[in-house]
Amino acid sequence: FFNPVPLMKLLEVVRGPETSDATFNALLEYGAKVGKTTVKCKDTPGFIVNRLLVPYLFEAIRLVERGDASMEDVDTAMKLGAGYPMGPFTLADLVGLDTCKNILDGWHKEYPDVQVFQPSETLNKLVESGKLGAKTGEGFYKYGK
C-alpha cells in the first residue's frame, strides 16, 4: 500500500521465493476487493515504485550537489517537462527526508558497490539537523506551520 492509503490507488503485490500461487492470487484478489489497482513484482529492493522513485530522488539531489541546476529548477523541470505532479525535492520533503535516508542506507548496506545507492552528504546533513521535510516545517524547502 502507499500513503495515504485511502487516496492512493496502487497496491504492489510482491512474490517472494516461497510465496505460493494460492497466497499470491489471494492477495491480488484482496487488492481488487478493496478497490486498488494491483501490480505484480518479484521480491526486489524497493519493489517497483520505490526502486524507480528513490534513485530518481537521489539523482536530483546529486544534480544540485554538482551545481548543474538549482533545486527549484529541477522541481519545475520535472513538473512541466515530465508531467509529474510535483518535483523530486517537493516529493522528498513530503515523504520525509529521514524516510528517504533510511531507505537509501538500507540499500547501500546491502549493495555497497551500486553507485545509485551511495549516500548523499546533503541529505545526511539535513536529517542530522532535524530538517526532515514538511512534517518538521523544513527540509529542502521551508514550510509554514
Side-chain angles (χ1 to χ4, degrees):
F1 290 98
F2 292 85
N3 287 318
V5 173
L7 298 178
M8 302 300 281
K9 297 177 171 120
L10 184 66
L11 174 63
E12 290 179 320
V13 181
V14 179
R15 182 187 286 272
E18 312 237 344
T19 305
S20 71
D21 287 343
T23 299
F24 191 72
N25 290 329
L27 290 169
L28 291 169
E29 289 174 20
Y30 173 76
K33 185 177 179 179
V34 298
K36 302 296 181 187
T37 297
T38 59
V39 293
K40 303 170 204 154
C41 184
K42 290 183 181 178
D43 190 6
T44 184
F47 312 135
I48 297 171
V49 173
N50 284 326
R51 181 61 177 90
L52 295 171
L53 183 63
V54 172
Y56 158 73
L57 297 176
F58 280 90
E59 185 55 27
I61 294 168
R62 291 182 183 103
L63 190 72
V64 171
E65 285 176 336
R66 290 190 304 265
D68 295 334
S70 72
M71 176 175 73
E72 295 82 5
D73 284 343
V74 170
D75 270 359
T76 298
M78 294 311 294
K79 288 190 309 190
L80 301 180
Y84 289 7
M86 66 187 78
F89 292 96
T90 302
L91 180 57
D93 274 352
L94 183 63
V95 167
L97 301 186
D98 53 335
T99 300
C100 293
K101 181 183 180 325
N102 287 337
I103 292 168
L104 192 71
D105 287 350
W107 288 356
H108 177 66
K109 182 178 179 183
E110 187 74 22
Y111 306 97
D113 298 327
V114 176
Q115 180 59 39
V116 75
F117 297 155
Q118 297 305 305
S120 162
E121 186 177 328
T122 299
L123 184 71
N124 290 344
K125 286 180 181 178
L126 286 167
V127 171
E128 287 169 14
S129 66
K131 297 176 181 176
L132 307 181
K135 64 185 170 186
T136 60
E138 186 174 356
F140 288 110
Y141 295 107
K142 290 186 179 183
Y143 300 87
K145 285 255 174 179

